[in-house]
Amino acid sequence: MGAAHRALGVMLVLALWACAEPAPAPSAGSPIAVLGTENFYADLLAQIGGSRVTASSILNDPTADPHAYEANPATAKLVADAKLVIINGIGYDDFMEKLLGASTKPDRVVINVQQLLGVKDDVNVHVWYDPATMPKVADAAAEALAKLDPQNAAYYAAQKAKYLAALKPVYDRISSLKAKYAGAPIAFTENVAGYLTDAIGLKVLTPPEFMEAIESGTDPAPADVAEERDLITGHEVKVLLYNSQVTSPLTEQIRDLAQKNNVPVVAVGETIPPGFKTFQEWQQGQLDELEKALAK
């Protein structure tokens, strides 16, 4: 993220926060153990729960494939201790169903984002890239925390307002990019940020079968690989969005081909990487890189 863009983003967030009512001081008591299976959901819980929660996450390694995660005793303990858990669903974090079933708590609240959104099993699993998702999760999290800790309900409501205010610059940026670049042709190695590029109005030319094969860990058909390569060598796309977290020899070859042909490559991931403090900052960073690429 460029220094100027980072400074502007921080100024916007601080300005929005300054306009909000100060959060009421939370009542005393032991912090609530909360768990976001993915670290961006844990970040949401930490922002909304503030000093009243201790937030943990399971999927947070930027070099690991979240789809291949295997639970261990440390993970099981995190789940057992948590009174509020957010899971993504849609088959993305299925291991959590077993862990939750193995340590039932009558007062535990589980927010299943798939159920919250009312989507089917065959949609793009990376729903946190959809601008409509995180506000809905924030509403559910604030409501759950108020249920678990009623005396601090006003505090959670104020913290949620801050979280949503910090999202506004991200959504304003999406609108700005849409006004400038709607219809611009792009390619993916895998459809990770598809909800985001749809919101901007970008046109994905990569064969759907290619992306589906990459996501499922199988080899795309030779014809689909050839079509993907032709998009790059023929300069039919303005940018390649590359899943930097789940790679294979083929996706690395496609990335290298783009770089060789001077097609800008923008890395996108499935968890907040080190160097970004919040979900909002991470999204702004990726939008910075995307705008630079589209402007070339």
Side-chain angles (χ1 to χ4, degrees):
M1 182 184 294
H5 283 129
R6 187 187 298 274
L8 178 59
V10 170
M11 289 172 64
L12 285 167
V13 170
L14 290 175
L16 287 163
W17 284 13
C19 295
E21 290 292 324
S27 303
S30 299
I32 302 168
V34 298
L35 174 66
T37 306
E38 294 76 17
N39 67 355
F40 42 84
Y41 293 136
D43 168 70
L44 179 149
L45 289 170
Q47 290 190 53
I48 294 176
S51 61
R52 290 294 305 130
V53 305
T54 54
S56 302
S57 64
I58 296 171
L59 299 179
N60 47 43
D61 184 347
T63 65
D65 181 352
H67 303 267
Y69 182 83
E70 293 186 7
N72 55 51
T75 304
K77 187 176 188 314
L78 282 176
V79 174
D81 291 344
K83 297 196 72 173
L84 171 58
V85 178
I86 300 179
I87 65 174
N88 191 75
I90 325 177
Y92 192 76
D93 43 18
D94 280 348
F95 65 90
M96 285 296 291
E97 299 293 346
K98 292 182 180 179
L99 292 174
L100 288 166
S103 61
T104 57
K105 278 187 175 181
D107 59 343
R108 178 191 290 137
V109 179
V110 177
I111 298 171
N112 182 312
V113 176
Q114 177 181 9
Q115 294 174 3
L116 183 67
L117 300 178
V119 297
K120 297 182 180 179
D121 292 336
D122 58 353
V123 303
N124 182 344
V125 301
H126 310 98
V127 289
W128 57 92
Y129 275 104
D130 185 339
T133 295
M134 298 307 266
K136 292 178 181 177
V137 180
D139 286 341
E143 182 180 339
L145 286 167
K147 177 182 177 181
L148 292 167
D149 185 19
Q151 63 183 342
N152 287 303
Y155 174 73
Y156 300 128
Q159 291 293 107
K160 183 189 78 171
K162 288 183 180 181
Y163 180 86
L164 296 177
L167 277 177
K168 187 177 184 302
V170 177
Y171 298 157
D172 289 346
R173 187 74 173 283
I174 290 170
S175 297
S176 174
L177 290 175
K178 183 175 183 177
K180 292 180 182 178
Y181 300 111
I186 63 170
F188 281 142
T189 55
E190 182 184 340
N191 190 10
V192 172
Y195 293 109
L196 180 63
T197 57
D198 285 350
I200 297 170
L202 304 178
K203 186 177 181 181
V204 180
L205 299 187
T206 297
E209 296 81 7
F210 179 92
M211 295 185 288
E212 290 166 7
I214 293 297
E215 183 166 2
S216 65
T218 59
D219 294 328
D224 294 328
V225 176
E227 185 175 346
E228 176 82 344
R229 293 176 62 89
D230 288 346
L231 291 173
I232 293 168
T233 57
H235 293 91
E236 296 180 41
V237 293
K238 292 181 67 69
V239 58
L240 171 70
L241 276 81
Y242 171 75
N243 185 349
S244 59
Q245 193 160 343
V246 183
T247 64
S248 69
L250 176 57
T251 63
E252 291 171 354
Q253 289 169 19
I254 296 295
R255 176 202 61 194
D256 294 346
L257 183 67
Q259 292 171 339
K260 181 180 178 181
N261 284 271
N262 296 314
V263 174
V265 176
V266 174
V268 293
E270 302 190 40
T271 55
I272 303 174
F276 294 100
K277 294 180 180 178
T278 64
F279 173 80
Q280 295 95 328
E281 187 178 301
W282 173 42
Q283 293 301 297
Q284 285 280 28
Q286 293 185 127
L287 290 170
D288 278 346
E289 296 304 315
L290 181 56
E291 182 168 23
K292 290 176 188 175
L294 289 169
K296 289 185 179 178

